[in-house]
Amino acid sequence: SITAMDAAGFHSQAVVVPVVLDILAPSVVSTNPVNNGVFNVTIASITFNLTDAFTAVDPSATFNGAAVKNALGQDISGTWATSGSGQLVVITFEPASVLSEGVYTAVINPTDILGNRGSYTLAFTVDATPPPAPGFNPVSSPTRNTSILLTGSKTSDSVSVAVTGTNLSIGAVSYPSATTWSVTVSGLKEGANSISAYAKDPAGNQSGSASTTVVLDTIPPSAPTANALTSPTKNTSVTLSGAKEAGSYLFVNGTKTLVDFSTASWSYAANLSEGNNTFTLYTKDEAGNQSQSLSVSIIRDTTPPVISSSTPTINAFTNQAGTIDIVLSDSFSSIDLQASLNNAVVKNSSGSVVSGQWSVVGGKLVFTPSAALTDSVYTVTLYPVDGLGNIGAVSFSFTLDAA
């Protein structure tokens, strides 16, 4: 601010003279291509947009020392040009041939007419090569679940993987590592579902597609059938057999057997315990769908018949005994009454065999003595036989006291 003063000491009005201090070089406000960009097209020109807040840009000085180099540090030939003026200037470099695949740096030295000088480096990459297609890890198929987690691989230079499928719900793709990916696919339809994936690199190049097929199977196989068994049996084991749907696993009592998955017939050797043995059979297909169950039972009987009742009763004291009647019983098998008479014998207290006749009468074993029994202790010994040929040995005594 400047004023004039007269002899009397009076000041004139002030005159303001602005003075600008500029010690800053011009700024690069934008470039094309953008700094650190990756592009999948060739580059035909490079532009720098410069501005200076106070002073005009000096294009010639800005060109001084400017250069464009490739990844090997080699200079790229071309022409520098400028447009605009004053504080807004555009610097352009046109290479002798378009810039193709590679990494490039472009350096200029923004300078204003006061000599304020800076340096600016632009780096960019031209990448027009698509990445390899992503890979699918093995898929659990067929499945009975309507959604599935798919995983796979990709190259480290692939920044994203896109997954597609007709009428399917595709979740967000995640990347557990630089070379892996995963996604949940929902809404699988019964039958074959085709799913595709492709990758993109930082330049936007898209790979070819990879594909996989997931089969949804929610229909259970038909229940197995079993051939008739001979029951009861004396055997310690039995071979079960029958038919099943081809392409199913056979389960016996909840345990998966070694029966061939692909065949329509089956057989299974099972051990038997005494008494009733029940086997529950069902099949499962590859997807895990379970058929209805079938129960098969077989009796193992190695126990001979026993005396159910007798007249006179066992260990009885009786005053009359015209005949001896015996009723046999067996838990599982029929009784061979005629065979049970073999070697049957009645003895008195002196050990002498009592003469008489054994017979089968009305489902009973009946001993009719040749002569009336006299007072004594009598012992009856039998060898009961069932329909399987199981033979036992039983005896009982009773006392006749008619005096």
Side-chain angles (χ1 to χ4, degrees):
S1 177
I2 302 172
T3 61
M5 185 177 67
D6 60 17
F10 293 102
H11 287 270
S12 69
Q13 289 185 338
V15 176
V16 178
V17 180
V19 178
V20 176
L21 175 64
D22 182 4
I23 59 173
L24 299 177
S27 299
V28 177
V29 293
S30 64
T31 63
N32 186 21
V34 297
N35 197 15
N36 297 318
V38 182
F39 307 94
N40 59 6
V41 294
T42 57
I43 302 300
S45 65
I46 303 172
T47 59
F48 301 83
N49 295 296
L50 283 70
T51 184
D52 193 296
F54 304 110
T55 310
V57 177
D58 186 343
S60 297
T62 299
F63 289 159
N64 187 21
V68 178
K69 298 178 181 292
N70 61 22
L72 299 176
Q74 299 168 332
D75 287 325
I76 304 299
S77 61
T79 303
W80 291 94
T82 182
S83 62
S85 60
Q87 294 170 246
L88 298 174
V89 172
V90 177
I91 304 295
T92 302
F93 175 79
E94 292 188 0
S97 59
V98 294
L99 302 179
S100 56
E101 199 91 0
V103 177
Y104 299 91
T105 56
V107 178
I108 62 172
N109 301 295
T111 306
D112 62 20
I113 59 176
L114 296 179
N116 295 308
R117 185 175 179 82
S119 180
Y120 183 85
T121 300
L122 166 65
F124 59 92
T125 300
V126 177
D127 176 10
T129 303
F136 282 95
N137 291 333
V139 176
S140 179
S141 176
T143 178
R144 56 185 177 144
N145 299 317
T146 57
S147 64
I148 189 171
L149 176 66
L150 298 178
T151 62
S153 59
K154 68 178 186 67
T155 56
S156 58
D157 64 336
S158 297
V159 295
S160 65
V161 172
V163 179
T164 61
T166 303
N167 296 324
L168 298 176
S169 176
I170 310 297
V173 179
S174 61
Y175 305 94
S177 72
T179 57
T180 59
W181 61 271
S182 65
V183 67
T184 297
V185 177
S186 304
L188 297 174
K189 306 301 185 298
E190 191 76 18
N193 296 262
S194 181
I195 301 170
S196 300
Y198 61 84
K200 282 189 175 182
D201 63 16
N205 298 300
Q206 181 174 312
S207 74
S209 292
S211 63
T212 189
T213 298
V214 180
V215 175
L216 177 67
D217 178 8
T218 61
I219 301 173
S222 56
T225 60
N227 296 327
L229 296 172
T230 300
S231 178
T233 180
K234 293 174 64 175
N235 297 328
T236 58
S237 64
V238 65
T239 298
L240 307 175
S241 63
K244 68 177 184 67
E245 187 174 304
S248 64
Y249 298 105
L250 178 71
F251 287 74
V252 177
N253 291 342
T255 299
K256 183 179 177 181
T257 68
L258 298 178
V259 172
D260 191 343
F261 173 80
S262 62
T263 62
S265 61
W266 62 270
S267 65
Y268 176 79
N271 293 324
L272 299 177
S273 57
E274 188 74 11
N276 189 47
N277 296 260
T278 299
F279 300 95
T280 301
L281 313 174
Y282 58 83
T283 58
K284 283 186 178 182
D285 60 21
E286 191 71 20
N289 299 299
Q290 181 173 320
S291 73
Q292 293 184 335
S293 295
L294 169 71
S295 290
V296 176
S297 295
I298 183 172
I299 294 172
R300 182 185 179 218
D301 180 12
T302 60
T303 304
V306 297
I307 296 175
S308 174
S309 63
S310 66
T311 303
T313 59
I314 297 172
N315 297 323
F317 287 84
T318 183
N319 58 9
Q320 57 182 356
T323 60
I324 302 173
D325 299 347
I326 301 170
V327 177
L328 300 178
S329 65
D330 193 292
S331 298
F332 303 112
S333 301
S334 62
I335 301 171
D336 188 340
L337 293 173
Q338 199 61 48
S340 298
L341 295 178
N342 293 335
N343 300 314
V345 65
V346 178
K347 294 182 179 181
N348 58 26
S349 56
S350 64
S352 299
V353 175
V354 177
S355 176
Q357 182 67 40
W358 286 97
S359 60
V360 176
V361 179
K364 299 179 182 179
L365 302 183
V366 177
F367 176 74
T368 304
S370 299
L373 297 178
T374 59
D375 289 356
S376 182
V377 176
Y378 294 92
T379 300
V380 181
T381 301
L382 296 170
Y383 300 92
V385 182
D386 64 16
L388 296 176
N390 295 305
I391 302 175
V394 294
S395 64
F396 71 94
S397 299
F398 65 91
T399 301
L400 175 62
D401 184 5

